[in-house]
Amino acid sequence: MKLHFLGTAAAEGWPGLFCRCEHCNKAKQLGGKNIRTRSSVLIDDTFKVDFPPDSYYHMLRDNIDMAAVEHLFITHTHTDHLHAADLEKRSPVCAAGIDKPLHIYGHDLALQSCLRELDLKTNRYELHLIHPFRTVQVDEETRVTPLLADHDKRQTCLLYFIEKRGKALLYGNDSGWFPQETWDWLEGKSFDAAILDCTKGPLTGRRNHMNIEAILEINIIFQDKQMLRDQGRIIATHFSHNCGMLHEDLEREFNPHGILVAFDGMIHHL
Ligand SMILES: [Zn+2]
Ligand SMILES: [Zn+2]
Ligand SMILES: [Zn+2]
């Protein structure tokens, strides 16, 4: 399984679109891995989690064939995760050379956001309503199970457990400390990578988003319960400028524990 991190920031991006704070100024000055766009991961070039407003830029920056994406899983409808208006650019008038529909999976609110923008009669899209803990057989070799997040009480924010050709990935953001139902479902499971929400960095609190402390604690739980397979790694992502840590600061914190710090454009193979 090839994981391609297209974006690794929280909602405002880092540097933030309108921000003049010292952390954003520093990121602008240093560039490189300190420049973070809104979060999304491309899996094996055909499978994607979330569609942020930076998707057009991701296509340009990493030379991505966005038309090759066949399955799009939406975690929730916050603007950094679903920019449905740009999905309309896959319509026949905007996109040539496409012979397959894009399958979009999400909860009620996510599908409603898509329906407002997309013309389903074009056969360019197929929407699939999914439910927490009900596994979806996406194609012959891929199974996806939506799990519950702790993120926004006003909608059913989802995480994903993705299994393909013997490999498994836990896509764990946006979320604070997992709800008990999710821990219960994960009991006895193992995986090759877990992508976790580190929005808060060194700040306190683990509701709605996680911080470094929560991720280190989860790392111990995963190891104690042998949930991380051989070579299995936690990968931290979705960083907010409010956490104030540049890429190398985050690596200094996480690398001694074997945890990877995602950056825009990073590719990791399972
Ligand atoms: Zn987010
Ligand atoms: Zn800032
Ligand atoms: Zn969110």
Side-chain angles (χ1 to χ4, degrees):
M1 213 188 270
K2 173 187 168 196
L3 309 181
H4 186 165
F5 288 80
L6 303 182
T8 58
E12 62 281 351
W14 192 352
L17 187 53
F18 293 99
C19 191
R20 290 170 160 174
C21 82
E22 56 170 315
H23 313 305
C24 289
N25 288 341
K26 192 86 179 167
K28 278 182 181 168
Q29 187 194 323
L30 293 173
K33 293 175 182 173
N34 296 300
I35 303 296
R36 299 182 185 277
T37 60
R38 272 65 69 87
S39 293
S40 174
V41 171
L42 182 64
I43 301 168
D44 291 340
D45 304 318
T46 58
F47 200 101
K48 193 175 189 300
V49 184
D50 287 337
F51 198 83
D54 299 320
S55 299
Y56 180 71
Y57 170 67
H58 295 158
M59 182 273 286
L60 293 174
R61 186 197 63 204
D62 292 351
N63 194 24
I64 288 163
D65 178 11
M66 208 57 92
V69 176
E70 291 176 33
H71 301 281
L72 173 62
F73 280 78
I74 304 297
T75 55
H76 63 300
T77 62
H78 291 168
T79 57
D80 53 324
H81 295 264
L82 176 58
H83 183 53
D86 267 357
L87 286 171
E88 192 273 330
K89 304 302 174 285
R90 201 183 192 276
S91 65
V93 73
C94 299
I98 291 180
D99 53 5
K100 288 180 182 170
L102 172 65
H103 295 270
I104 304 171
Y105 306 79
H107 60 38
D108 308 54
L109 270 183
L111 297 195
Q112 286 303 318
S113 302
C114 292
L115 278 172
R116 277 195 293 277
E117 304 290 345
L118 309 179
D119 181 359
L120 299 191
K121 290 197 289 292
T122 62
N123 296 322
R124 288 288 173 93
Y125 316 94
E126 274 187 36
L127 304 190
H128 304 267
L129 180 63
I130 52 175
H131 306 274
F133 309 112
R134 276 199 229 166
T135 302
V136 181
Q137 189 79 40
V138 175
D139 56 29
E140 275 181 20
E141 52 189 15
T142 317
R143 285 154 52 88
V144 178
T145 307
L147 308 178
L148 276 178
D150 167 33
H151 184 51
D152 178 348
K153 285 197 176 67
R154 291 160 299 183
Q155 57 173 293
T156 313
C157 300
L158 299 173
L159 311 176
Y160 291 111
F161 193 81
I162 300 166
E163 298 164 275
K164 183 178 178 184
R165 286 190 223 126
K167 298 288 183 181
L169 166 71
L170 172 62
Y171 190 90
N173 68 283
D174 293 357
S175 182
W177 192 260
F178 299 152
Q180 190 56 45
E181 301 101 301
T182 294
W183 281 115
D184 290 346
W185 190 90
L186 287 171
E187 192 69 42
K189 303 280 192 309
S190 67
F191 33 84
D192 300 280
I195 298 173
L196 298 182
D197 179 326
C198 192
T199 307
K200 294 181 185 178
L203 306 176
T204 54
R206 52 175 69 179
R207 295 299 311 274
N208 311 319
H209 287 294
M210 285 195 223
N211 59 6
I212 291 172
E213 186 192 67
I215 290 183
L216 294 181
E217 203 174 315
I218 286 187
N219 190 36
I220 292 170
I221 293 174
F222 283 173
Q223 286 178 14
D224 284 352
K225 291 177 178 278
Q226 296 177 327
M227 294 163 95
L228 275 177
R229 296 174 183 170
D230 281 352
Q231 315 295 325
R233 303 294 281 269
I234 287 178
I235 305 170
T237 188
H238 199 276
F239 301 101
S240 162
H241 71 137
N242 291 315
C243 90
M245 293 174 76
L246 295 167
H247 186 77
E248 60 176 27
D249 301 326
L250 289 160
E251 285 199 320
R252 205 174 301 123
E253 197 71 43
F254 279 124
N255 285 359
H257 302 274
I259 295 171
L260 297 176
V261 178
F263 57 88
D264 282 30
M266 178 174 111
I267 291 176
H268 181 77
H269 290 274
L270 306 185

